[in-house]
Amino acid sequence: MEYRQLGESNLKVSAITFGAWAIGGWMWGGAERKDALEAIRVSIDHGVTSIDTAPIYGQGLSEEIVGEAIKGQKRDQLQILTKFGMRWDLDKGTLAFKSKDNSGKDIDIYKYAGKESVIQECEDSLKRLGTDYIDLLQIHWADVTTPIEETYEAVLRLKEQGKIREAGVCNYNVEQTKAANSVVKLASNQVPFSMVERGIEKELVPYCIENKIGILAYSPLQRGILTGKIKPGHSFNEGDTREGNRFYQPENITRINAFLDELRPMAESKSATVAQLVIRWTIERPGITVALVGARDANQAIQNAKAINVKLSAEEIDYINERLYKLQLV
């Protein structure tokens, strides 16, 4: 595994980090707890020392599973990343969207990051994770009802108290990142980035490079479509929100698979899967520190971790990029 410093912080994380959204079940159509626990433990065995979760993933379930998985592990050799600012148990801030929990009950999700809420969420996360500190605490989505300065003053207090090691943001644009960074030096910004979703490269990546802020790229496999395993007519489990996603429209599935077919010979020449090639490409992009990759079972986790062994030459990266830039999605 490769380990990279997050910005100018003291935090070193594995270049491939375990993304724990799917194991919470919520919005992914269910998950098996036993498989999820095994996936995390096997990831750690293969050098993945960093795990990214959030309270909203399964309304606490993902954090609880992570907490159970890391029991008995050497805590100082792991980096636990979690978030705050999405409440399903309180109607403050702005309504983000309506959803259902894992039992099918209707819930309203609010974006809220008032000072008292940040502190309370941190305490709740510490309990669910079974730890006395969080390595990286991040706001999940911007809360327009609370000044960023107020939110990050609360985060700064938590850092001073030793309850968190470093502060980050998620889904923040350049202006929002600047505001938070003026209160507490940010280690990172976690944003969506993949071969087919590269919008951050225009403004955010240059800003983060210039200001020495790490970037955690989530959904680098675009929620599975860049594995090449999802074909037109794919059947999704109930509750899986990928079905209505733009990238999963039949024509886009066809176009993306045709593009991946062009990469397949390169992957095979390296005894790698297409997904492993995609993950390696992602962490080679300028400004990208980490690829967050989810796994629902041990086999997926092992395959993700082994992507670190793929090596790409400058010429091979150019070959991929040339074909990628010709890919047009509807």
PDB file of all heavy atoms in Angstrom, residues 132-144:
ATOM      1  N   ASP A 132     -11.990   7.060  21.214  1.00  0.00           N
ATOM      2  CA  ASP A 132     -11.997   8.330  21.939  1.00  0.00           C
ATOM      3  C   ASP A 132     -11.486   9.491  21.097  1.00  0.00           C
ATOM      4  O   ASP A 132     -11.359  10.606  21.596  1.00  0.00           O
ATOM      5  CB  ASP A 132     -11.215   8.218  23.260  1.00  0.00           C
ATOM      6  CG  ASP A 132      -9.789   7.729  23.070  1.00  0.00           C
ATOM      7  OD1 ASP A 132      -9.376   7.536  21.904  1.00  0.00           O
ATOM      8  OD2 ASP A 132      -9.089   7.537  24.080  1.00  0.00           O
ATOM      9  N   TYR A 133     -11.190   9.229  19.827  1.00  0.00           N
ATOM     10  CA  TYR A 133     -10.863  10.343  18.928  1.00  0.00           C
ATOM     11  C   TYR A 133     -11.153   9.946  17.483  1.00  0.00           C
ATOM     12  O   TYR A 133     -11.167   8.763  17.134  1.00  0.00           O
ATOM     13  CB  TYR A 133      -9.397  10.775  19.059  1.00  0.00           C
ATOM     14  CG  TYR A 133      -8.389   9.769  18.541  1.00  0.00           C
ATOM     15  CD1 TYR A 133      -7.880   9.856  17.237  1.00  0.00           C
ATOM     16  CD2 TYR A 133      -7.939   8.713  19.344  1.00  0.00           C
ATOM     17  CE1 TYR A 133      -6.958   8.927  16.770  1.00  0.00           C
ATOM     18  CE2 TYR A 133      -7.022   7.790  18.882  1.00  0.00           C
ATOM     19  CZ  TYR A 133      -6.538   7.898  17.588  1.00  0.00           C
ATOM     20  OH  TYR A 133      -5.632   6.979  17.110  1.00  0.00           O
ATOM     21  N   ILE A 134     -11.408  10.948  16.674  1.00  0.00           N
ATOM     22  CA  ILE A 134     -11.647  10.780  15.237  1.00  0.00           C
ATOM     23  C   ILE A 134     -10.474  11.411  14.508  1.00  0.00           C
ATOM     24  O   ILE A 134     -10.062  12.527  14.833  1.00  0.00           O
ATOM     25  CB  ILE A 134     -12.985  11.444  14.840  1.00  0.00           C
ATOM     26  CG1 ILE A 134     -14.170  10.649  15.434  1.00  0.00           C
ATOM     27  CG2 ILE A 134     -13.114  11.578  13.329  1.00  0.00           C
ATOM     28  CD1 ILE A 134     -15.456  11.432  15.503  1.00  0.00           C
ATOM     29  N   ASP A 135      -9.922  10.713  13.539  1.00  0.00           N
ATOM     30  CA  ASP A 135      -8.740  11.229  12.851  1.00  0.00           C
ATOM     31  C   ASP A 135      -9.066  12.403  11.929  1.00  0.00           C
ATOM     32  O   ASP A 135      -8.284  13.351  11.833  1.00  0.00           O
ATOM     33  CB  ASP A 135      -8.076  10.100  12.051  1.00  0.00           C
ATOM     34  CG  ASP A 135      -7.509   9.038  12.972  1.00  0.00           C
ATOM     35  OD1 ASP A 135      -6.388   9.213  13.464  1.00  0.00           O
ATOM     36  OD2 ASP A 135      -8.213   8.044  13.230  1.00  0.00           O
ATOM     37  N   LEU A 136     -10.202  12.324  11.236  1.00  0.00           N
ATOM     38  CA  LEU A 136     -10.601  13.415  10.337  1.00  0.00           C
ATOM     39  C   LEU A 136     -12.102  13.603  10.444  1.00  0.00           C
ATOM     40  O   LEU A 136     -12.872  12.690  10.153  1.00  0.00           O
ATOM     41  CB  LEU A 136     -10.225  13.094   8.880  1.00  0.00           C
ATOM     42  CG  LEU A 136     -10.582  14.194   7.862  1.00  0.00           C
ATOM     43  CD1 LEU A 136      -9.655  15.410   8.017  1.00  0.00           C
ATOM     44  CD2 LEU A 136     -10.513  13.655   6.428  1.00  0.00           C
ATOM     45  N   LEU A 137     -12.523  14.799  10.867  1.00  0.00           N
ATOM     46  CA  LEU A 137     -13.949  15.137  10.960  1.00  0.00           C
ATOM     47  C   LEU A 137     -14.295  16.121   9.846  1.00  0.00           C
ATOM     48  O   LEU A 137     -13.640  17.153   9.701  1.00  0.00           O
ATOM     49  CB  LEU A 137     -14.279  15.732  12.327  1.00  0.00           C
ATOM     50  CG  LEU A 137     -15.776  15.983  12.582  1.00  0.00           C
ATOM     51  CD1 LEU A 137     -16.547  14.662  12.648  1.00  0.00           C
ATOM     52  CD2 LEU A 137     -15.985  16.779  13.860  1.00  0.00           C
ATOM     53  N   GLN A 138     -15.345  15.788   9.080  1.00  0.00           N
ATOM     54  CA  GLN A 138     -15.686  16.563   7.883  1.00  0.00           C
ATOM     55  C   GLN A 138     -17.166  16.936   7.882  1.00  0.00           C
ATOM     56  O   GLN A 138     -18.008  16.116   8.276  1.00  0.00           O
ATOM     57  CB  GLN A 138     -15.419  15.719   6.630  1.00  0.00           C
ATOM     58  CG  GLN A 138     -14.070  15.002   6.607  1.00  0.00           C
ATOM     59  CD  GLN A 138     -14.125  13.717   5.779  1.00  0.00           C
ATOM     60  OE1 GLN A 138     -13.882  13.736   4.579  1.00  0.00           O
ATOM     61  NE2 GLN A 138     -14.452  12.589   6.412  1.00  0.00           N
ATOM     62  N   ILE A 139     -17.495  18.125   7.430  1.00  0.00           N
ATOM     63  CA  ILE A 139     -18.900  18.443   7.182  1.00  0.00           C
ATOM     64  C   ILE A 139     -19.312  17.665   5.946  1.00  0.00           C
ATOM     65  O   ILE A 139     -18.532  17.517   5.000  1.00  0.00           O
ATOM     66  CB  ILE A 139     -19.130  19.960   6.993  1.00  0.00           C
ATOM     67  CG1 ILE A 139     -20.637  20.258   6.974  1.00  0.00           C
ATOM     68  CG2 ILE A 139     -18.434  20.505   5.741  1.00  0.00           C
ATOM     69  CD1 ILE A 139     -20.974  21.741   7.072  1.00  0.00           C
ATOM     70  N   HIS A 140     -20.528  17.126   5.958  1.00  0.00           N
ATOM     71  CA  HIS A 140     -20.950  16.250   4.857  1.00  0.00           C
ATOM     72  C   HIS A 140     -21.405  17.054   3.639  1.00  0.00           C
ATOM     73  O   HIS A 140     -20.970  16.792   2.522  1.00  0.00           O
ATOM     74  CB  HIS A 140     -22.065  15.318   5.343  1.00  0.00           C
ATOM     75  CG  HIS A 140     -22.125  14.030   4.593  1.00  0.00           C
ATOM     76  ND1 HIS A 140     -22.518  12.855   5.169  1.00  0.00           N
ATOM     77  CD2 HIS A 140     -21.839  13.729   3.304  1.00  0.00           C
ATOM     78  CE1 HIS A 140     -22.464  11.877   4.268  1.00  0.00           C
ATOM     79  NE2 HIS A 140     -22.061  12.394   3.132  1.00  0.00           N
ATOM     80  N   TRP A 141     -22.287  17.999   3.871  1.00  0.00           N
ATOM     81  CA  TRP A 141     -22.755  18.902   2.813  1.00  0.00           C
ATOM     82  C   TRP A 141     -22.907  20.293   3.423  1.00  0.00           C
ATOM     83  O   TRP A 141     -23.143  20.423   4.622  1.00  0.00           O
ATOM     84  CB  TRP A 141     -24.108  18.451   2.247  1.00  0.00           C
ATOM     85  CG  TRP A 141     -24.027  17.233   1.386  1.00  0.00           C
ATOM     86  CD1 TRP A 141     -24.155  15.930   1.794  1.00  0.00           C
ATOM     87  CD2 TRP A 141     -23.791  17.179  -0.023  1.00  0.00           C
ATOM     88  NE1 TRP A 141     -24.015  15.081   0.733  1.00  0.00           N
ATOM     89  CE2 TRP A 141     -23.802  15.814  -0.404  1.00  0.00           C
ATOM     90  CE3 TRP A 141     -23.582  18.156  -1.011  1.00  0.00           C
ATOM     91  CZ2 TRP A 141     -23.605  15.395  -1.713  1.00  0.00           C
ATOM     92  CZ3 TRP A 141     -23.396  17.740  -2.325  1.00  0.00           C
ATOM     93  CH2 TRP A 141     -23.404  16.379  -2.668  1.00  0.00           C
ATOM     94  N   ALA A 142     -22.789  21.314   2.605  1.00  0.00           N
ATOM     95  CA  ALA A 142     -22.897  22.687   3.089  1.00  0.00           C
ATOM     96  C   ALA A 142     -24.266  22.948   3.709  1.00  0.00           C
ATOM     97  O   ALA A 142     -25.288  22.505   3.180  1.00  0.00           O
ATOM     98  CB  ALA A 142     -22.638  23.661   1.941  1.00  0.00           C
ATOM     99  N   ASP A 143     -24.265  23.670   4.819  1.00  0.00           N
ATOM    100  CA  ASP A 143     -25.489  24.109   5.482  1.00  0.00           C
ATOM    101  C   ASP A 143     -25.609  25.616   5.289  1.00  0.00           C
ATOM    102  O   ASP A 143     -24.863  26.382   5.893  1.00  0.00           O
ATOM    103  CB  ASP A 143     -25.431  23.754   6.975  1.00  0.00           C
ATOM    104  CG  ASP A 143     -26.491  24.487   7.803  1.00  0.00           C
ATOM    105  OD1 ASP A 143     -27.537  24.849   7.227  1.00  0.00           O
ATOM    106  OD2 ASP A 143     -26.268  24.690   9.009  1.00  0.00           O
ATOM    107  N   VAL A 144     -26.548  26.034   4.445  1.00  0.00           N
ATOM    108  CA  VAL A 144     -26.660  27.467   4.122  1.00  0.00           C
ATOM    109  C   VAL A 144     -27.280  28.269   5.257  1.00  0.00           C
ATOM    110  O   VAL A 144     -27.266  29.498   5.236  1.00  0.00           O
ATOM    111  CB  VAL A 144     -27.473  27.687   2.820  1.00  0.00           C
ATOM    112  CG1 VAL A 144     -26.762  27.057   1.633  1.00  0.00           C
ATOM    113  CG2 VAL A 144     -28.899  27.144   2.950  1.00  0.00           C
TER     114      VAL A 144
END
